[in-house]
C-alpha cells in the first residue's frame, strides 16, 4: 500500500479536536459539508479510506519523521550532532537528561500516537456495521486497525509508562479526560489487539495498491516483540516460531538490501512491516515539512555540508565512537550503516575526517538515498519496523543458549559476515552455553543489527533501570570532550518521557511522571 495514494475526509475524524485532517494535498477531498459521521461509513471505499488514515501518523513528526529518531540519540549508540547552536535541542535535552515537560519529542510522540489510536478506534467501532462491503475486506480493515492501535500503544507505554487507554472513540469532551491506565493493563490490551489482528489479517497482498498494509505476520512479529519486552519468554518464542516457520519470509543474503527503495514491500523477503514514504509529493511552496509523505531522514542524517543531498545534509544522529569501534572485523553491517572517513559518495567526493557536528567523520548511512530529486525533505525510502532478523534474535533471547537459540542468533551473525545463512561457520558461530554470556551476545547482536532503527533505548530500558543508569553513566564518561552536547547521567526519574505539559493542563485526570 502506498499510503499517499489515499485520502481521508474530516468525516471520520473525531469532532472533539483530538484528530487533525489527513489529506495529503494532492488528491481532491470530498467537501466536508457534504459528508457527515452518519453518512460516511456506508461502503467498502469508506472503510478502506478510514483504515488508511490510521497509517497516516506513522510517517509524520509524531512517529518516524521526527520523534522516533530520539530513541537512538537518547541511548548509547549516537548523539545529536548537527551544529553547536539550537539545532536539535529537543534531542539534546534528552541526551543531557534535562528534559522539560515541553520537550518536542515528548509532545509529538504523544499527540501523533493518540491521533492514530483514535482513528483506529473509529474503524473498530464503525466498520463492523457496514453492509455494502466484501467480508474479507471488512475483516482486514478491522485487523489493520487492531494492529496499528497496538503499535501506537506499544510506543507510548514504553516511552511514558502508564498512559490513558482508549478502546473506543470518546463520546464527549469530558470522556477524553481519563486518568492514566497502569502499564500491565495497557500491555494486556496490546496483546489482545495483536492476537485478534493475527486472526483478521491476510498473510500477504498481491495488489500494488495494498502492498505495505499490515499482514498477519506483522502482527505475529510485533506480538513476539511485545512478549519479549514484558519478559514473557515462552510466549515470545511461540510467536517467533510462528513467523519463522509459517510466514514464507527469508532474510536477504546481503544486509544492505533491507534499506533500498527497489526492495520495499516484498512479500517473500525479510521485512514484516514498513512505514511507507513516497517522494515527489511534498508541496513545492513549502518543502520544509515533515507531515506529508516524504522522509526527512536522508537530509537530517546526511553528512553535514557534504552536498550529497538536496539540502547539503544536516548531520544529525552521529554514531558514537565506541559504537563504531565495536564492530567486529569483517562485519558487513558497518559499511551499510555508517559513513566513515574516506567513504566515496555518489558524485565521487569523499567523506571528511572531520565535519561540523561529527568530530571523527561518522554519519548514519542506513537511510541515505542521495539527491533523489530537488525536494529537500523528501526521501521515498521506507522504514522497516519489524524484520525477520529481529524475530530470530527474539527467539534466541527467549530460549537461551539451546541448540535452537544458538542457531537463531547464528543465522543473523552469518549474514552479517557475508556467509550462507543456513550453513554452520566454525569461525563466526556463537557456541557458548553460558546463559549470561548468551544474553549479552543477543543484546550485542541487536545493537548492531538494528542500529539506527530507533530501538536501542528500549533495549536498554528492558534490562532494568539500574542497568540503564550504569550504561549511560559509562557512556557519558566515554564521550567527555568528544561532543558539544554530551550525554548526561540519568536518575530513575528521567528514564521515562514527561507527559506533555499541555496535556496535564487540559486533563485534570493526568498525573505527571515523577521528577518532572
Amino acid at each position: 500500500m502506498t499510503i499517499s495514494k489515499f485520502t481521508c475526509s474530516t468525516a471520520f475524524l473525531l469532532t472533539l479536536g483530538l484528530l487533525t485532517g489527513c489529506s495529503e494535498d494532492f488528491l481532491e477531498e470530498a467537501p466536508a459539508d457534504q459528508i457527515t459521521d452518519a453518512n460516511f461509513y456506508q461502503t467498502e471505499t469508506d472503510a478502506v479510506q478510514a483504515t488508511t488514515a490510521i497509517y497516516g501518523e506513522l510517517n509524520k513528526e509524531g512517529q518516524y519523521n521526527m520523534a522516533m529518531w530520539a530513541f537512538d540519540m537518547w541511548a548509547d549508540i549516537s548523539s545529536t550532532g548537527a551544529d553547536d547552536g539550537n539545532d536539535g535541542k529537543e534531542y539534546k535535552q534528552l541526551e543531557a537528561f534535562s528534559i522539560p515537560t515541553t520537550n518536542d519529542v515528548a509532545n509529538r510522540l504523544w499527540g501523533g500516537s493518540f491521533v492514530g489510536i483514535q482513528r483506529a478506534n473509529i474503524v473498530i467501532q464503525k466498520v463492523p456495521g457496514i453492509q455494502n462491503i466484501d467480508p474479507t475486506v471488512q475483516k482486514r480493515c478491522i485487523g489493520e486497525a487492531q494492529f496499528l492501535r497496538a503499535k501506537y500503544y506499544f510506543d507510548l507505554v514504553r516511552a511514558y509508562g502508564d498512559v490513558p487507554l482508549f478502546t473506543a472513540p470518546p463520546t464527549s469532551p469530558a470522556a477524553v479526560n481519563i486518568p492514566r491506565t497502569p502499564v500491565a493493563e495497557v500491555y494486556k490490551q496490546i496483546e489482545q489487539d495483536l492476537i485478534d489482528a493475527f486472526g483478521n489479517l491476510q498473510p500477504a497482498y498481491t495488489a500494488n495498491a495494498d502492498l505495505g498494509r499490515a499482514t498477519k505476520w506483522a502482527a505475529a512479529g510485533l506480538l513476539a516483540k511485545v512478549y519479549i519486552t514484558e519478559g514473557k519468554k515462552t510466549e515470545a518464542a511461540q510467536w517467533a516460531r510462528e513467523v519463522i516457520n509459517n510466514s514464507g519470509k527469508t532474510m536477504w543474503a546481503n544486509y544492505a538490501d533491507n534499506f533500498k527503495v527497489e526492495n520495499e514491500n516484498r512479500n517473500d523477503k525479510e521485512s514484516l512491516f514498513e512505514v511507507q514514504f513516497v517522494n515527489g509529493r511534498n508541496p513545492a511552496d513549502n518543502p520544509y515539512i515533515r507531515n506529508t509523505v516524504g522522509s526527512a531522514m536522508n537530509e537530517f542524517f546526511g553528512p553535514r555540508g557534504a552536498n550529497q543531498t538536496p539540502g547539503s545534509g544536516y548531520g544529525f544522529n552521529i554514531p558514537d565512537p565506541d559504537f563504531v569501534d565495536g564492530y567486529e572485523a569483517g562485519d558487513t553491517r558497518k559499511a551499510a550503516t555508517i559513513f566513515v572517513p574516506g567513504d566515496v559518495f555518489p558524485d565521487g567526493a569523499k567523506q571528511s575526517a572531520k565535519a561540523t557536528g561529527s568530530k571523527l567523520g561518522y554519519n548514519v548511512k542506513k537511510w541515505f538515498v542521495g539527491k533523489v530529486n530537488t525536494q529537500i525533505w523528501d526521501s521515498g525510502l521506507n522504514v522497516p519496523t519489524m524484520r525477520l532478523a529481529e524475530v530470530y534474535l527474539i527467539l534466541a533471547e527467549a530460549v537461551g543458549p539451546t541448540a535452537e537459540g544458538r542457531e537463531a542468533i547464528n543465522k543473523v551473525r552469518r549474514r552479517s559476515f557475508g556467509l550462507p545463512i543456513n550453513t554452520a561457520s566454525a569461525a563466526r558461530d556463537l557456541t557458548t552455553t553460558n546463559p549470561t554470556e548468551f544474553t549479552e551476545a543477543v543484546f550485542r547482536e541487536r545493537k548492531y543489527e538494528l542500529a539506527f532503527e530507533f530501538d536501542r533505548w528500549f533495549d536498554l530500558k528492558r534490562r532494568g533501570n539500574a542497568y540503564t543508569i550504569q550504561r549511560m553513566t559509562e557512556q557519558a564518561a566515554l564521550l567527555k570532550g568528544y561532543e558539544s552536547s554530551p550525554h548526561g547521567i540519568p536518575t530513575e526519574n528521567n528514564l521515562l518521557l514527561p507527559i506533555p505539559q499541555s496535556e496535564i493542563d487540559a486533563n485534570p485526570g493526568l498525573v505527571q511522571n515523577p521528577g518532572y
Side-chain angles (χ1 to χ4, degrees):
M1 170 191 56
T2 302
I3 290 172
S4 61
K5 293 179 181 176
F6 295 81
T7 186
C8 68
S9 77
T10 55
F12 50 86
L13 304 182
L14 287 181
T15 59
L16 301 178
L18 288 174
L19 306 184
T20 58
C22 54
S23 169
E24 302 296 359
D25 294 329
F26 47 79
L27 292 180
E28 291 187 7
E29 188 174 89
D33 62 351
Q34 296 177 17
I35 300 176
T36 69
D37 184 74
N39 68 26
F40 181 77
Y41 299 94
Q42 304 296 319
T43 69
E44 182 173 309
T45 298
D46 296 346
V48 172
Q49 287 185 338
T51 303
T52 299
I54 311 170
Y55 293 85
E57 289 303 309
L58 293 176
N59 54 19
K60 293 183 172 55
E61 289 182 328
Q63 283 269 316
Y64 289 88
N65 230 0
M66 186 275 203
M68 295 300 290
W69 305 349
F71 296 109
D72 285 334
M73 289 182 260
W74 199 6
D76 61 345
I77 65 171
S78 65
S79 305
T80 301
D83 70 5
D84 295 335
N86 287 324
D87 276 9
K89 69 177 182 179
E90 63 273 19
Y91 304 117
K92 293 174 182 177
Q93 290 166 349
L94 294 176
E95 282 184 275
F97 293 98
S98 180
I99 311 167
T101 58
T102 55
N103 177 268
D104 211 22
V105 170
N107 288 349
R108 293 184 185 277
L109 180 64
W110 180 281
S113 297
F114 276 111
V115 168
I117 286 164
Q118 299 297 12
R119 290 178 181 170
N121 284 337
I122 295 170
V123 167
I124 292 168
Q125 181 187 76
K126 296 287 188 180
V127 169
I130 296 176
Q131 301 298 315
N132 185 19
I133 188 172
D134 181 331
T136 301
V137 175
Q138 186 176 46
K139 185 178 180 181
R140 184 198 80 191
C141 288
I142 296 167
E144 289 177 82
Q146 291 163 334
F147 170 82
L148 290 166
R149 183 168 69 181
K151 188 264 186 277
Y152 287 123
Y153 263 122
F154 187 45
D155 294 336
L156 287 171
V157 76
R158 291 183 297 167
Y160 301 92
D162 300 347
V163 292
L165 181 60
F166 295 94
T167 56
T171 56
S172 69
V176 178
N177 294 333
I178 66 173
R180 298 167 68 182
T181 302
V183 165
E185 293 182 38
V186 179
Y187 269 114
K188 185 177 180 180
Q189 183 63 50
I190 292 169
E191 292 170 9
Q192 190 60 56
D193 273 346
L194 291 172
I195 291 169
D196 292 343
F198 180 79
N200 286 329
L201 289 168
Q202 297 175 203
Y205 299 99
T206 55
N208 286 337
D210 290 326
L211 292 178
R213 292 189 183 276
T215 67
K216 67 190 308 103
W217 307 118
L222 184 55
L223 185 54
K225 186 168 183 171
V226 168
Y227 279 134
I228 202 68
T229 300
E230 294 182 272
K232 297 180 178 179
K233 293 185 176 181
T234 300
E235 294 89 344
Q238 171 193 341
W239 284 96
R241 293 188 192 106
E242 183 72 40
V243 175
I244 291 166
N245 295 334
N246 299 318
S247 69
K249 293 278 188 178
T250 59
M251 289 167 59
W252 289 101
N254 178 8
Y255 176 78
D257 284 343
N258 283 293
F259 314 104
K260 295 178 179 178
V261 173
E262 59 267 29
N263 292 336
E264 293 175 344
N265 298 322
R266 288 277 297 267
N267 282 324
D268 60 331
K269 287 297 184 182
E270 185 165 344
S271 177
L272 298 175
F273 184 69
E274 301 175 18
V275 174
Q276 306 292 299
F277 287 102
V278 179
N279 70 337
R281 303 293 181 89
N282 281 0
D285 60 342
N286 183 18
Y288 296 97
I289 186 169
R290 289 180 288 184
N291 282 323
T292 58
V293 293
S295 171
M297 286 194 289
N298 179 51
E299 198 67 64
F300 273 77
F301 298 173
R304 189 177 183 90
N307 195 34
Q308 299 302 312
T309 60
S312 196
Y314 298 166
F316 279 78
N317 200 11
I318 301 302
D320 287 340
D322 60 304
F323 172 77
V324 177
D325 293 342
Y327 278 97
E328 295 178 63
D331 190 335
T332 62
R333 295 175 296 197
K334 182 176 182 179
T337 304
I338 297 172
F339 281 118
V340 299
D343 280 354
V344 179
F345 294 127
D347 66 356
K350 292 184 179 181
Q351 171 78 343
S352 171
K354 185 176 182 180
T356 301
S358 181
K359 294 183 178 179
L360 299 179
Y362 301 142
N363 290 100
V364 173
K365 184 191 290 187
K366 185 171 279 188
W367 310 111
F368 178 81
V369 296
K371 294 183 178 180
V372 291
N373 58 21
T374 58
Q375 289 279 17
I376 197 164
W377 294 357
D378 193 29
S379 164
L381 182 59
N382 290 352
V383 177
T385 65
M386 277 297 302
R387 296 192 282 111
L388 185 61
E390 183 175 10
V391 177
Y392 277 118
L393 294 177
I394 290 170
L395 178 61
E397 183 180 346
V399 302
T402 60
E404 182 184 33
R406 288 193 299 271
E407 178 61 16
I409 191 174
N410 285 331
K411 287 182 187 296
V412 177
R413 284 184 55 78
R414 291 168 199 150
R415 196 262 298 273
S416 72
F417 292 102
L419 300 172
I421 292 169
N422 296 315
T423 303
S425 168
R428 297 300 185 182
D429 280 5
L430 187 70
T431 60
T432 184
T433 59
N434 180 287
T436 300
E437 289 179 359
F438 189 80
T439 296
E440 289 298 324
V442 170
F443 275 97
R444 184 198 176 282
E445 213 60 43
R446 288 183 61 88
K447 180 178 178 180
Y448 286 95
E449 178 67 27
L450 304 174
F452 311 113
E453 295 176 48
F454 319 122
D455 228 18
R456 177 60 180 170
W457 176 254
F458 300 129
D459 273 355
L460 292 179
K461 283 291 303 298
R462 65 191 184 89
R463 302 192 72 179
N465 286 350
Y467 180 93
T468 305
I469 291 168
Q470 177 185 347
R471 181 69 196 98
M472 296 313 301
T473 300
E474 295 168 350
Q475 194 67 6
L478 286 171
L479 296 175
K480 190 175 182 179
Y482 164 70
E483 51 176 357
S484 58
S485 57
H487 285 289
I489 297 175
T491 69
E492 288 203 7
N493 282 341
N494 47 28
L495 296 179
L496 291 171
L497 290 177
I499 307 302
Q501 187 61 46
S502 58
E503 300 293 331
I504 297 285
D505 293 342
N507 180 1
L510 290 179
V511 176
Q512 184 58 271
N513 278 324
Y516 293 104

